[in-house]
Amino acid sequence: MSGAGWGKGEKVKDVREDRKGIKTPAGRKLERIGILALGLLPLVVFAGAWVWHRWDRLLDDWAILWGALGNLFALLGLSLAVVMVCLGARPPWIERRFGLDRMLRLHQVMGPLVVGLLMLHAFLRTLKESLVSEGGWRWDFLTTLSYENWTETALSGARIALTTVIVTSALAKLGRYFFPFHLWKIPHLLLYAALALGFTHSIIVGDDMLQFPYVLVWAGLLIFFLWTAVQRFLYVRTRRQLYRGILVEALPETHDTKTLRVRPKAAVGLLKDRRPGQFAVIRYKRIHGYSQPRPFTISAPPASDDLTFTIKQTGRFTRKLHKLREGTGILCEGPYGVFVPDLERERNLVLIAGGVGITPFLSMLRHIQQQKLGNRATLIWANKTRKDCIAGEELTGMAVQGLLKLVHVFSREARVKDAPGQGAVYFENGHIDRGILKKYVEPAGASYYLCGPPAMQDFVLRELKTGLGVQPKQVKRELFFW
Ligand SMILES: Cc1cc2nc3c(=O)[nH]c(=O)nc-3n(C[C@H](O)[C@H](O)[C@H](O)COP(=O)(O)OP(=O)(O)OC[C@H]3O[C@@H](n4cnc5c(N)ncnc54)[C@H](O)[C@@H]3O)c2cc1C
């Protein structure tokens, strides 16, 4: 892999004409706005209807005010919970426009908000009951489980649902750091049942729920929720067939990085339609079932039948990956991500990488080389030392062939400024700052791509702005964290 040229001897498929799903930036923006509007629509309608129906009665007394506010929070919580389920289920029509990483980040940010809204709902409804009954604080309203009639049953269902939401969400938050994946992921699926209880509760107990437009939005949300749940279920059932592969090679790239080559066993599913820069979520086979999933960029170009993942050892999971034996089963779900250049329109690429953040660019550059696309590319790549450079020979080969201007920036290497470069290979010391950017970047018609650790990204964004006047929103970024 680190030799010059990708997949020597492999027959190169022509995948240049595949423009499926590629939109103009304006078209993409419009689609994103449409999806965001769809997500916000139930919130806006619920809030608008609440104000319309309730406003004149709100200040009649405290009990009415707290009760009504409690209802509003429940409506907002229900709507956002459906959005969260939808994000967690990763529907391709959203993923293609926003990218899985953004979706999962939003899912994580929204979690505490939804839990907070639902807890506020329970608190305010209890406050209302306490004020009405005038018998002190009604703890029993939060804790009683009774199934005497429909209303009591629906209330009990909601109490169980809220407890489930709080416990499973807390487990998921803590699980990232303290528990094995399966310990929090399996209970997390109970949220589907909790949401179903929430729907039942709201239609039976909700004050105005059977009125227009509440009932319409409620029905829309329910249909959307059920459809998402069924899609997810079908996907999980088939993914082992669709995305199974086998590890055929594990090649050391540097002292801490290996490239795993995975050969898909069955059809590669959608992975065969992948685009350069995209990633897959991979799991390896254990004695019982598969490991937890983790995202890794597919460093092989799209025309390659094999998938390769260039993986730096940083912790427990990656250590395990580095130790896998050939023949181990690997599940590769994907392709995901929108860190993908439009190579037909973007002719002057400025690629800025930090360390293993090179992987999406490897796949882009290999693709450009293989398909003879002729895009101009400047790769500015920060590493601590020469020893950390992944696929260094291959990239040098591309630069020598004139496909690439390659600028190495070393932070812990003895002075390299004057080291003899071959062809278009340059060496700098320090960090990627405005001086280096100004020296090597040709700004006319440039499209900027940035992948590296968060601190490095922040620094480079500032330097791009002050050095070249490039605004952060003009820079496409990939973060290796979510
Ligand atoms: C879109 C994308 C593409 C990526 N591509 C590559 C690639 O090509 N090569 C590569 O080497 N790495 C890549 N990564 C990063 C890689 O997924 C993580 O570095 C890796 O999973 C961490 O494994 P570990 O052994 O260090 O973690 P562990 O030691 O198992 O975990 C350390 C801690 O970090 C948390 N954690 C692990 N991964 C993440 C994450 N992604 N975000 C937030 N917290 C996390 C864990 O929950 C745990 O608490 C990519 C990440 C993303 C999001």
Side-chain angles (χ1 to χ4, degrees):
M1 225 73 57
S2 46
W6 169 263
K8 280 192 164 173
E10 260 185 39
K11 191 168 175 293
V12 177
K13 283 186 287 179
D14 185 345
V15 292
R16 268 179 303 175
E17 294 310 312
D18 187 7
R19 306 260 316 145
K20 199 167 49 185
I22 302 181
K23 291 273 180 335
T24 59
R28 225 177 6 241
K29 199 167 173 182
L30 212 65
E31 286 181 346
R32 285 184 185 167
I33 292 173
I35 292 175
L36 286 175
L38 187 69
L40 289 175
L41 188 67
L43 292 162
V44 174
V45 178
F46 272 150
W50 181 87
V51 172
W52 183 258
H53 284 118
R54 297 277 176 153
W55 196 245
D56 51 342
R57 283 177 283 152
L58 271 187
L59 299 178
D60 287 356
D61 77 52
W62 286 109
I64 291 180
L65 176 67
W66 297 133
L69 269 178
N71 286 354
L72 176 66
F73 290 142
L75 295 173
L76 301 183
L78 185 75
S79 312
L80 287 178
V82 174
V83 173
M84 279 197 66
V85 166
C86 179
L87 290 173
R90 314 168 180 182
W93 59 278
I94 301 186
E95 202 286 327
R96 271 198 301 273
R97 277 131 194 138
F98 287 90
L100 183 64
D101 38 351
R102 279 211 197 108
M103 287 166 67
L104 293 189
R105 257 178 246 138
L106 183 62
H107 181 85
Q108 284 171 17
V109 171
M110 279 174 63
L113 178 65
V114 172
V115 177
L117 283 169
L118 297 178
M119 285 172 72
L120 265 174
H121 162 68
F123 172 77
L124 290 173
R125 292 301 307 187
T126 311
L127 180 60
K128 184 208 162 179
E129 292 302 319
S130 308
L131 288 172
V132 170
S133 67
E134 292 175 352
W137 185 254
R138 292 272 316 271
W139 284 112
D140 59 305
F141 190 73
L142 280 175
T143 54
T144 308
L145 294 183
S146 141
Y147 306 96
E148 277 169 22
N149 51 42
W150 281 110
T151 308
E152 284 301 319
T153 308
L155 278 168
S156 302
R159 287 166 192 138
I160 294 171
L162 182 61
T163 312
T164 310
V165 168
I166 295 171
V167 172
T168 52
S169 306
L171 268 181
K173 272 271 170 260
L174 297 172
R176 236 166 118 80
Y177 306 102
F178 301 116
F179 311 128
F181 173 75
H182 294 99
L183 261 189
W184 67 263
K185 185 64 189 183
I186 293 169
H188 209 63
L189 298 177
L190 287 174
L191 288 173
Y192 281 93
L195 192 49
L197 285 175
F199 270 106
T200 318
H201 164 79
S202 56
I203 199 71
I204 294 179
V205 184
D207 287 344
D208 303 313
M209 223 47 189
L210 290 171
Q211 287 185 39
F212 179 82
Y214 294 102
V215 69
L216 203 68
V217 181
W218 181 90
L221 282 173
L222 180 63
I223 291 168
F224 190 66
F225 163 63
L226 292 175
W227 178 68
T228 307
V230 170
Q231 295 290 321
R232 185 68 190 156
F233 174 73
L234 293 177
Y235 171 77
V236 170
R237 262 176 63 106
T238 52
R239 76 174 165 208
R240 291 198 180 183
Q241 279 75 49
L242 276 179
Y243 298 106
R244 255 183 327 157
I246 199 153
L247 178 66
V248 288
E249 202 176 28
L251 276 180
E253 293 277 1
T254 67
H255 59 104
D256 60 4
T257 306
K258 270 189 178 175
T259 290
L260 307 188
R261 182 185 277 266
V262 178
R263 183 150 303 154
K265 259 189 180 168
V268 227
L270 292 169
L271 279 163
K272 63 181 183 317
D273 295 328
R274 67 185 185 272
R275 294 168 57 205
Q278 288 195 298
F279 65 94
V281 173
I282 72 174
R283 305 162 194 252
Y284 60 87
K285 185 95 179 78
R286 300 189 308 185
I287 297 171
H288 301 293
Y290 282 89
S291 71
Q292 61 174 293
R294 286 289 174 85
F296 292 95
T297 308
I298 306 164
S299 53
S304 165
D305 286 334
D306 286 348
L307 305 172
T308 60
F309 301 97
T310 302
I311 295 170
K312 179 170 170 170
Q313 186 178 313
T314 49
R316 224 168 21 164
F317 187 82
T318 43
R319 195 174 322 123
K320 197 81 194 162
L321 285 181
H322 274 217
K323 286 190 183 147
L324 291 182
R325 296 226 186 100
E326 285 169 19
T328 307
I330 309 271
L331 269 191
C332 309
E333 290 172 58
Y336 295 121
V338 291
F339 191 64
V340 174
D342 179 348
L343 294 171
E344 208 163 285
R345 291 199 189 94
E346 300 177 345
R347 304 304 295 169
N348 177 14
L349 297 170
V350 176
L351 314 174
I352 304 172
V356 75
I358 188 71
T359 52
F361 302 139
L362 284 179
S363 123
M364 292 176 197
L365 292 167
R366 285 166 175 164
H367 181 64
I368 293 171
Q369 181 187 38
Q370 245 189 6
Q371 304 295 325
K372 302 185 174 50
L373 299 182
N375 301 66
R376 229 168 355 128
T378 303
L379 172 63
I380 305 181
W381 186 17
N383 277 295
K384 287 194 187 98
T385 66
R386 282 170 199 271
K387 278 204 327 238
D388 300 304
C389 293
I390 300 159
E393 271 179 52
E394 182 186 348
L395 291 170
T396 302
M398 288 184 191
V400 170
Q401 285 173 32
L403 298 170
L404 170 71
K405 188 198 287 179
L406 172 59
V407 184
H408 285 288
V409 183
F410 296 122
S411 58
R412 294 196 199 156
E413 192 68 82
R415 191 173 161 72
V416 292
K417 230 185 171 93
D418 309 321
Q422 284 175 286
V425 184
Y426 305 90
F427 296 96
E428 295 284 346
N429 282 104
H431 298 286
I432 303 176
D433 57 18
R434 71 196 77 167
I436 291 178
L437 291 166
K438 274 175 150 171
K439 187 167 165 189
Y440 294 103
V441 170
E442 294 162 39
S447 304
Y448 295 88
Y449 287 80
L450 173 60
C451 183
M456 173 244 179
Q457 292 206 7
D458 291 344
F459 181 74
V460 170
L461 284 180
R462 270 200 307 274
E463 297 299 293
L464 275 170
K465 191 171 170 191
T466 46
L468 296 174
V470 177
Q471 296 304 316
K473 66 172 192 288
Q474 291 173 260
V475 183
K476 277 201 189 169
R477 301 199 286 151
E478 181 80 301
L479 265 180
F480 277 4
F481 301 90
W482 62 40

